[in-house]
Amino acid sequence: MQAAMLRPLSIKEYLDGEEHAGIRHEYVAGQTYAMAGAKLRHNLIVQNLSSSLWQKTRGGDCQVLSSDMKVRVATADVFYYPDIVLRCGDTLPGDSLYLEDPCLIIEVLSASTANIDRREKLHAYQALPSLREYVLVDSDSRSIELYRRRPEGWWYELLSEGEGDSLRFHCVDLTLSLAEVYAGVDLPQGEATA
């Protein structure tokens, strides 16, 4: 058996390949990583958040995009597929393959992605000057981690249902209860939500 050395892909090779790939891949410094499918509760959380953000921003200068739009962080040499991205400002051309200036990124955590979302992606996304909020939503319990940019640096908040917290986005003026975020989601502990 012979071992073959894999050479890093160029950004152009990656983008060209993604346009024709049957599955999505994230790009990290010349290497690609296939994206796994998501569970029903993950999709329901994404749908709840996306639809609330879309209702709030409809008719304005913001675009709510979900898991098929890449975000490029040039300084980290990465392209990621966040679960939800909110971008405000001038409209991009309809054939844009990626964004570089989101104001809000939301990732719904799963056992296979939580560590990457909390470390690698958190560090990379914080390098985006436009990003104001990075939100991690647990798909196994009613818990949300919120990272928010402030003039003095990044701040962290943990929201949980037991404390009656609400999720307030600063990028757009929108507040959601955790019950709204988790509406219809059957959590693993059997704690079904309204």
Side-chain angles (χ1 to χ4, degrees):
M1 178 184 288
Q2 286 186 310
M5 186 166 67
L6 296 175
R7 69 170 180 77
L9 288 177
S10 70
I11 290 173
K12 181 179 181 345
E13 289 171 319
Y14 165 70
L15 292 173
D16 288 348
E18 274 306 273
E19 282 198 82
H20 306 290
I23 60 171
R24 298 173 300 145
H25 299 83
E26 291 188 324
Y27 174 96
V28 179
Q31 302 300 315
T32 60
Y33 301 90
M35 303 287 297
K39 294 180 180 175
L40 176 61
R41 66 178 166 263
H42 179 283
N43 284 304
L44 290 171
I45 293 167
V46 168
Q47 181 178 324
N48 291 342
L49 288 163
S50 291
S51 62
S52 295
L53 285 164
W54 182 80
Q55 284 292 333
K56 180 66 180 180
T57 61
R58 186 173 64 169
D61 69 342
C62 294
Q63 298 165 306
V64 179
L65 304 159
S66 53
S67 61
D68 285 333
M69 179 54 71
K70 292 179 280 302
V71 170
R72 179 183 186 194
V73 184
T75 58
D77 194 20
V78 297
F79 288 84
Y80 295 126
Y81 282 97
D83 290 315
I84 302 170
V85 179
L86 178 69
R87 182 193 173 278
C88 298
D90 295 335
T91 302
L92 292 174
D95 61 350
S96 296
L97 297 175
Y98 58 87
L99 305 175
E100 294 185 278
D101 59 349
C103 67
L104 168 67
I105 293 176
I106 301 173
E107 294 283 10
V108 177
L109 301 175
S110 67
S112 64
T113 65
N115 287 334
I116 292 169
D117 292 338
R118 284 188 177 114
R119 288 193 309 249
E120 177 185 315
K121 290 184 180 184
L122 170 64
H123 180 70
Y125 288 148
Q126 287 177 336
L128 292 168
S130 63
L131 190 68
R132 295 177 59 193
E133 296 163 307
Y134 179 50
V135 180
L136 300 173
V137 181
D138 196 321
S139 64
D140 290 331
S141 66
R142 287 184 182 211
S143 178
I144 297 175
E145 299 169 48
L146 172 61
Y147 296 86
R148 183 171 282 134
R149 185 187 305 268
R150 295 188 178 165
E152 60 275 11
W154 283 88
W155 287 78
Y156 169 80
E157 296 175 53
L158 177 64
L159 310 173
S160 64
E161 188 63 31
E163 299 167 11
D165 285 331
S166 294
L167 177 59
R168 182 162 191 273
F169 298 109
H170 288 194
C171 229
V172 293
D173 185 22
L174 176 64
T175 301
L176 298 172
S177 69
L178 268 67
E180 291 173 296
V181 173
Y182 288 97
V185 178
D186 184 18
L187 296 172
Q189 303 92 321
E191 178 191 340
T193 59

